[in-house]
Amino acid sequence: MSIAKYFDDMSYGLSPESDTEARAWLARHDHSFGHFIAGSFTTPDHSFQTFEPATGKPLAHLARGTAAEVDAAVTAARKAQSPWAKLTGHARARHLYALARMIQRHARLIAVVEAIDNGKPIRETRDIDVPLAARHFTHHAGWAQLQATAFPDHAPLGVVGQIIPWNFPFLMLAWKLAPALALGNTVVLKPAEYTSLTALLFAELAQAAGLPAGVINIVTGEGDTGALLVDHPGIDKIAFTGSTEVGRLIRQRIAGTGKSLTLELGGKSPFIVFDDADLDGAVEGVVDAIWFNQGQVCCAGSRLLLQEGIAEDFIRRLKRRMDNLRVGSPLDKSIDMGAIVAPVQLDRIRALVAQGVAEGATLYQAAMDLPTNGCFYPPTLLTGVQPAHIVAQEEIFGPVAVTITFRTPDESVQLANHSRYGLSASIWSESISLALQVAAKVEAGVVWVNATNLFDAAVGFGGRKESGFGREGGREGAYEYLKPKAMLGRKLRPAQPPITARSASIADFVAPTIDRTAKLFIAGKQARPDGNYSRPVLTPRGALIAEVGEGNRKDIRNAVSAARKAEAWANATAHNRAQVLYYIAENLSARATEFASRISAMTGQGAAKADAEVAASIERLFSYAAWADKYEGSVHAPPLRGVALAMHEPIGVVGVICPPEAPLLGLISLTAPLIAMGNRVVAVPSAPHPLSATDFYGVLETSDMPDGVLNIVTGDPQPLAEALATHADVDALWAFGSEALSESAERLSASNLKRTFVDHGRLTDWHHPSAEGADWLRHATEVKNIWIPYGV
Ligand code: NDP
């Protein structure tokens, strides 16, 4: 070919990365790997074969973790945990820093092994996955160093089980291990069956870096091995990234065990382009949103929402760009897309695209020759898609974008939020006010303005709705590997006796008993219970004091609907929310004597204790009024041209099951932080002593609290908690009571993967200062990280 010809067609030549070192590493291991347990590799007994996605050739034999092996790994992690946690923060920081340096020193080997094992382009493993993994260890070395001053009231969780997927095998490993180790936990990690090699390579590097035995353990295997880890009683937390289906299963399996859980699941993220956007910039954004990593990205911008005026032009420019993308060998440095991870994923992509076409979408695929062997799929665009189509709803997890048009900003928000997922969103507009207005309204854990798929160790990542819960990265992610010291050693709550009135005795004739039947409180009004049943409220000796409504599922539905309608509370200013809480405190204070005598009558406590409970309730209302405008977000400074605003947002509609004890203080301690942060609440008060809540209606009615912000349904906590847990329009559930209550709240919440906050039947000292403050406010908020361009 003449030089002139090269100038004419400007085509790329091959630019292959050498795989000699990586193949030599595989050969050194005879292409066969055991688990990494207690600081050394096991001999693989039961193994399975993995394949190279780009060629289909066999790659390695990996051990399939058995129950005994998982147990050995958990035992090793348990043994190492206490000495690891007892190291000084500085000593742990040095270990993490050593791991970061090790990654940097072996960066190219890791990048090549990853590209071979997963099929992703070397350009991405070399420039994104591996440097970012090193950054996670460096950043979290910092949290280890600062742990004693940054988190003085928190302790590590213990032994953490981590289960990661195949789309970012090495990055996910770093993302999970770094915060866990930094804060004094030890880990058993199960990589995905397709892509375990870089985890095993990392184990080798950690061994060489002198990480103490048992601090990390890697057990390879398939889903069954993951399930063994989830079920193991020696695990204190599961951190999972993967499909929503498996996430839901895990939520159900560990319900009631006391294990913590974070779930980072799927997404169908909107990529919104307004008509004032820099269109060429946005086209490049789409390339990074959906063709990065072959679209196998949980936060891929897979739904292109285009404003009508620019849609046609944008699609034309996008198609032209698609035609210039290159798909090929992952080890070719000049390709844009590599191979899909496995034939089963390729089949899934093909089937979903065929379904999209059958539903009426128009298919466009870049004109290109794909490699004939291996799992390859071209960049794909489906236009003319309707919001209800399967391809607009389901995560395709491949290089397939769909387009939908909209007219107004409000319509774009409606479309963006029309999804069971809520992981991320990308917003393109040259108008800062428009972009930030929409950023505030999209239901997502991460929002990028005029950018997409930006990640950093200092910035929390995670979703809402069926994209899971919990954050990874930054200060918000650190808390996911810690527990408040005040929660340690709490006693089990004594079993509650059944509420049955004894027959009247002569003593009952001393004073009048039944004065009225208290109703429910829904949408700012007192409402009769749907079933028209009531339940008794007794003195400690069993005499009847009053009756309250027996709320049922229908009452819960009405209360949830009232709470949903009170959406404006979320947008009330923090100052305004504080004013209402102060006003409630003022009105409660005016009736303090009456509330105290009611507490005495129900609980049998002496006047001094009852007075103290009312006084503490008033003080707690003041505290949360104070916090309302002080529990602010923060600004993260990632090493990019921009900042991330970590905004504290309300979760939405939250169900609250109050504990049996402390009838007034329990109610206030659980509802006030939620209300202060802009949530709307459906509360079920103390079952044996509900009158503090029903008396509270009068306080609410005179305190300018908008209707529907706090709704109260009296009744049996167990069925009412079940109704709340299974309600699709409830975003979170707090359940304080019996162990069985916690178990069912966690298990049933899996329906829409709502967040839960439960006490596993353990008593809280409601008078203690630790029963209020930031730990509670964290449960009452979602952190939304909004990345915005900033600076030069
Ligand atoms: P999975 O959710 O099945 O896999 C994620 C991890 O969980 C893997 O390590 C897997 O092991 C493990 N696992 C599987 N079943 C169980 C179980 N019952 N208990 C504990 N651990 C388990 O995802 P897939 O790999 O099957 O991918 C399927 C779909 O999930 C994709 O098409 C995509 O839509 C979505 N997905 C989303 C990801 C995200 O980042 N949000 C990442 C990966 C997939 P093993 O690999 O052996 O199956």
Side-chain angles (χ1 to χ4, degrees), residues 395-407:
E395 184 176 41
I396 299 177
F397 227 64
V400 184
V402 305
T403 67
I404 298 172
T405 57
F406 68 89
R407 288 188 179 163

Side-chain angles (χ1 to χ4, degrees), residues 641 643 674 728 752:
R641 195 185 69 87
V643 294
L674 286 163
N752 69 341

Side-chain angles (χ1 to χ4, degrees), residues 703-786:
S703 302
D704 292 346
M705 172 82 93
D707 296 348
V709 172
L710 176 56
N711 307 276
I712 296 176
V713 178
T714 50
D716 184 344
Q718 187 64 41
L720 296 180
E722 289 172 13
L724 283 162
T726 49
H727 198 302
D729 212 17
V730 173
D731 301 298
L733 178 58
W734 294 17
F736 286 67
S738 66
E739 285 178 283
L741 181 81
S742 295
E743 189 278 333
S744 60
E746 288 191 331
R747 179 170 40 81
L748 298 172
S749 71
S751 54
N752 69 341
L753 284 166
K754 50 178 74 69
R755 275 172 70 175
T756 53
F757 179 23
V758 303
D759 67 358
H760 296 289
R762 305 267 155 187
L763 280 165
T764 301
D765 176 358
W766 298 105
H767 287 269
H768 195 270
S770 64
E772 68 175 45
D775 283 321
W776 302 78
L777 293 162
R778 244 188 313 282
H779 284 281
T781 41
E782 290 281 359
V783 184
K784 178 191 275 178
N785 271 287
I786 305 174

Side-chain angles (χ1 to χ4, degrees), residues 666-682:
L667 174 79
I668 302 295
S669 300
L670 295 177
T671 56
L674 286 163
I675 291 168
M677 293 295 106
N679 299 284
R680 286 85 67 208
V681 176
V682 176

Side-chain angles (χ1 to χ4, degrees), residues 1-7 9 11:
M1 203 187 281
S2 71
I3 291 181
K5 172 93 172 70
Y6 279 120
F7 273 101
D9 67 8
S11 66

Side-chain angles (χ1 to χ4, degrees), residues 192 309 435 614:
V614 179

